[in-house]
Amino acid sequence: MWGYVLKRTGAALATLVAASVIIFIFIHLIPGDPVFVMLGDQATPEQVAKLRTRLGLDEPLVLQYFYWAGSALQGDLGRSIFFDQPVTEVIADGAETSLLLAAITMVWVILIGVPVGVIAAVKRGTWLDQTLSGAAMLLASVPTFWVGLYLILVFAAQLGWLPSSGYPSIFEEGGLSNLRYLLLPSFALAAPNAALILRLTRASMLDVSKEDYIRTARAKGISPRRVVLRHTLRNALLVVVSAFGFTLAALISEAVVTETVFALPGVGRTVVQSILRRDYPVIQGVILVIVCLYLVINLLVDISYRFLDPRVELQ
């Protein structure tokens, strides 16, 4: 068990190093110069050279990478060129919004995707199964920003039930009631992901229901409800759990569009603004944090297999 964890952790670290190199190189291939973005086109060559030296942009690209990677290992992701503050503080400012949005979205994905997928599998071939599967295909094919705009039009502009944009922190006035600002964005973000989990749960349930031990359970006279919930669903979840891990990590990166549509002060919106401003340290820092989240969640999902199904050997 621990040998497997150490092996997977080593592989994750190697992946992280490779990802950091790719991130650094591709970010610096973005057209434009942050020095001219900060100083404007009227800056003198002396001012440009002075600022370039202060930011360390006059060093060779290889040295810049090693300086950045060495600082990142110590928890220092650099200093934002635009905000003139540590990148970790810039990320922390938007982390509350992005993490809460991802958590609420994940709740919708689980509450909608798994039960509806089970119902579609149990009612296989009926009009209910066809309706649910068709609705899932529709939600999976509709762009998130389109769903978000229509949610704003119906529930905010016409009915006035929920706010259309912005998000005051739950630590400010309003407390937990401020979470209502994240309901519409989370619905928009959950729609395609819930459809994916629904389809995956249905397919996995149908595959497991063909196994011999399921037929044996039915032949022993065990109630259909118990066969579905205790034997079929439990074994089908092995595939679905792996999708949960990737979905949770993907929500953080997919939130870029949703946070822009709903004007949420999250990490995704900060990334978009940083790209427009050529703020390299912030872009690199955010992407590196997202990569780390992917690797950690993937590792936790692999380890969880052993607890969900003792037959799975960790090798």
Side-chain angles (χ1 to χ4, degrees):
M1 176 70 179
W2 288 110
Y4 173 81
V5 173
L6 291 175
K7 184 178 178 182
R8 292 287 297 123
T9 304
L13 291 175
T15 304
L16 181 61
V17 172
S20 69
V21 175
I22 295 173
I23 292 168
F24 189 85
I25 293 175
F26 275 86
I27 293 301
H28 282 76
L29 290 178
I30 296 176
D33 191 329
V35 174
F36 286 103
V37 174
M38 297 174 66
L39 297 178
D41 296 334
Q42 304 301 320
T44 64
E46 291 76 15
Q47 291 174 317
V48 171
K50 185 177 180 180
L51 182 57
R52 197 180 297 280
T53 301
R54 183 170 71 84
L55 297 176
L57 298 176
D58 57 340
E59 299 283 355
L61 202 58
V62 176
L63 284 181
Q64 290 185 44
Y65 169 76
F66 282 113
Y67 290 150
W68 173 68
S71 300
L73 287 175
Q74 302 174 35
D76 180 9
L77 296 176
R79 195 172 187 82
S80 168
I81 295 174
F82 181 81
F83 295 102
D84 193 25
Q85 66 182 94
V87 172
T88 50
E89 292 184 6
V90 175
I91 296 175
D93 288 341
E96 178 192 341
T97 305
S98 296
L99 291 177
L100 284 175
L101 178 61
I104 296 174
T105 302
M106 202 62 202
V107 171
W108 295 132
V109 169
I110 295 174
L111 291 181
I112 297 173
V114 175
V116 177
V118 172
I119 293 172
V122 172
K123 301 294 182 181
R124 178 184 56 177
T126 64
W127 65 268
L128 183 58
D129 176 30
Q130 297 298 323
T131 303
L132 295 176
S133 298
M137 290 295 292
L138 177 63
L139 290 176
S141 59
V142 176
T144 303
F145 73 88
W146 187 88
V147 176
L149 291 175
Y150 267 84
L151 287 175
I152 292 174
L153 180 64
V154 175
F155 293 99
Q158 294 185 354
L159 298 177
W161 290 353
L162 294 168
S164 61
S165 62
Y167 168 71
S169 171
I170 58 175
F171 301 106
E172 298 177 359
E173 186 179 356
L176 293 177
S177 64
N178 291 339
L179 292 177
R180 68 185 189 280
Y181 285 85
L182 299 179
L183 289 181
L184 291 183
S186 61
F187 272 126
L189 202 54
N193 293 289
L196 170 67
I197 296 299
L198 187 159
R199 298 285 297 175
L200 196 59
T201 302
R202 178 185 180 277
S204 184
M205 288 280 293
L206 293 179
D207 287 340
V208 173
S209 65
K210 298 174 184 175
E211 296 292 335
D212 291 338
Y213 58 86
I214 299 297
R215 284 195 290 270
T216 302
R218 289 171 179 159
K220 290 171 64 178
I222 299 176
S223 66
R225 180 190 181 95
R226 189 175 180 185
V227 171
V228 170
L229 296 180
R230 183 166 182 177
H231 299 283
T232 311
L233 178 60
R234 182 176 179 182
N235 291 284
L237 281 180
L238 196 61
V239 176
V240 180
V241 164
S242 63
F244 282 155
F246 286 110
T247 300
L248 178 59
L251 286 177
I252 299 174
S253 54
E254 289 176 2
V256 171
V257 176
T258 306
E259 289 179 2
T260 304
V261 171
F262 288 91
L264 299 176
V267 175
R269 193 179 178 205
T270 302
V271 171
V272 174
Q273 294 173 341
S274 298
I275 292 174
L276 296 175
R277 296 162 179 162
R278 308 295 188 272
D279 199 341
Y280 297 146
V282 174
I283 304 171
Q284 292 170 171
V286 171
I287 297 178
L288 189 65
V289 170
I290 291 175
V291 170
C292 290
L293 286 175
Y294 262 102
L295 294 174
V296 170
I297 291 174
N298 190 40
L299 178 61
L300 294 177
V301 168
D302 286 348
I303 295 174
S304 69
Y305 284 164
R306 180 66 178 81
F307 297 97
L308 286 173
D309 189 349
R311 297 171 302 173
V312 176
E313 294 293 335
L314 300 178
Q315 296 179 351

